[in-house]
Amino acid sequence: MSASVLGVAAWIRDPLNTVLTLTAHTRLEEAAVLTYSPAVHPVIIAVCCFLIIVAMVGYCGTLRCDLLLLCWYLGSLLVIFCVELASAVWTYEQPSVQRSDMISLKSRMPNYGLQRYQWLTHTWNSFQTEFKCCGVIYFTDWLEMTEMEWPPDSCCSNQYPGCARHAHHHDLSDLHQEGCGPKIYSFIRGTKQLQVLRFLGVSIGVAQILAMALTLTLLWALYFGQKSPELDSTPPPGNSAPLTAMQGPSAEDPTSTCTTTPQEHRFEMERLS
């Protein structure tokens, strides 16, 4: 589950960086950060990486029936769960963004194509190509906010050099008819990737609670399983010989495991009878 969270977080990083670049210094940027910071925050990424290591340690501790490893695993799960719960409570807040805030994106358009704003030009082109949109509300925003006579070529549904000029003069249907403002608004309100991340986050929390309960049960069973041979090591008066053969693996025996052999079961039945 942690590996899945890391994969989905990496999946949404590129479009998130593009949106943050286009919405810089606007209310939309604040809303985007508020929505996606829990998913891509370095603390969450670090917790997921650490949780993978903790899961491996828990697996080894269970396989070897090692009380020390299992105790470390239980404590680590508890700490990680508390961190995740605190982060979820701290970052849970619905972004206050309205459709009217999309108009503020037009302030990012006049610098398109300028030499010192090549990064912004590349961002606009990438977003319009990936999300199949043009302008903020409509493709005419490019003609209104810049000195361009036609939209960028990234507005074309079938891109080639000069496609926007040809579409502007001959067939406007070759241009993307939907603006990028509603696309960014929908992205900030939540995407499928974000919903998957939320589902994985809740699933990890439930899995951690179950893992802690099962680990605590296993620790209880192993602790009293190791105490039982010590209690049986004191032979009752007049019956020391059978108990000598009955004694199973002690707590100090490094070869002891979580299982009991059929021979030990037979000796136990003889003692009880």
Side-chain angles (χ1 to χ4, degrees), residues 38 62 113 176 260 269:
T62 305
H176 298 308
T260 307
M269 294 299 296

Side-chain angles (χ1 to χ4, degrees), residues 217-228:
T217 304
L218 181 59
L219 283 171
W220 184 277
L222 288 177
Y223 178 77
F224 282 98
Q226 290 185 355
K227 286 293 184 180
S228 296

Side-chain angles (χ1 to χ4, degrees), residues 140-181:
T140 54
D141 294 334
W142 288 110
L143 312 181
E144 174 188 347
M145 300 302 299
T146 67
E147 298 178 357
M148 301 169 60
E149 297 181 4
W150 46 79
D153 289 341
S154 57
C155 287
C156 299
S157 55
N158 184 22
Q159 294 185 21
Y160 58 87
C163 64
R165 178 181 180 180
H166 180 272
H168 184 69
H169 290 294
H170 296 88
D171 189 3
L172 293 178
S173 63
D174 290 339
L175 299 175
H176 298 308
Q177 301 300 307
E178 189 175 0
C180 295

Side-chain angles (χ1 to χ4, degrees), residues 10-86:
W11 183 20
I12 66 175
R13 264 189 177 277
D14 286 342
L16 177 60
N17 290 334
T18 301
V19 169
L20 291 179
T21 301
L22 293 181
T23 59
H25 310 298
T26 65
R27 289 186 60 186
L28 294 175
E29 180 191 23
E30 182 180 344
V33 171
L34 191 62
T35 301
Y36 286 90
S37 60
V40 296
H41 198 280
V43 173
I44 301 301
I45 303 300
V47 165
C48 288
C49 294
F50 183 62
L51 191 55
I52 295 176
I53 300 175
V54 170
M56 293 179 181
V57 172
Y59 176 77
C60 294
T62 305
L63 204 62
R64 298 177 54 187
C65 300
D66 192 310
L67 288 175
L68 182 60
L69 286 179
L70 288 174
C71 289
W72 187 87
Y73 173 68
L74 178 62
S76 300
L77 275 185
L78 183 59
V79 172
I80 292 175
F81 181 78
C82 293
V83 170
E84 291 173 344
L85 187 61

Side-chain angles (χ1 to χ4, degrees), residues 84-111:
E84 291 173 344
L85 187 61
S87 300
V89 173
W90 178 49
T91 58
Y92 182 77
E93 185 178 352
Q94 292 295 332
S96 57
V97 57
Q98 305 295 329
R99 286 188 176 271
S100 58
D101 296 328
M102 297 185 301
I103 305 300
S104 61
L105 288 174
K106 290 187 176 182
S107 63
R108 308 291 292 168
M109 300 180 73
N111 295 326

Side-chain angles (χ1 to χ4, degrees), residues 203-224:
S203 300
I204 287 179
V206 174
Q208 286 175 331
I209 294 175
L210 292 176
M212 286 188 287
L214 292 174
T215 303
L216 192 61
T217 304
L218 181 59
L219 283 171
W220 184 277
L222 288 177
Y223 178 77
F224 282 98

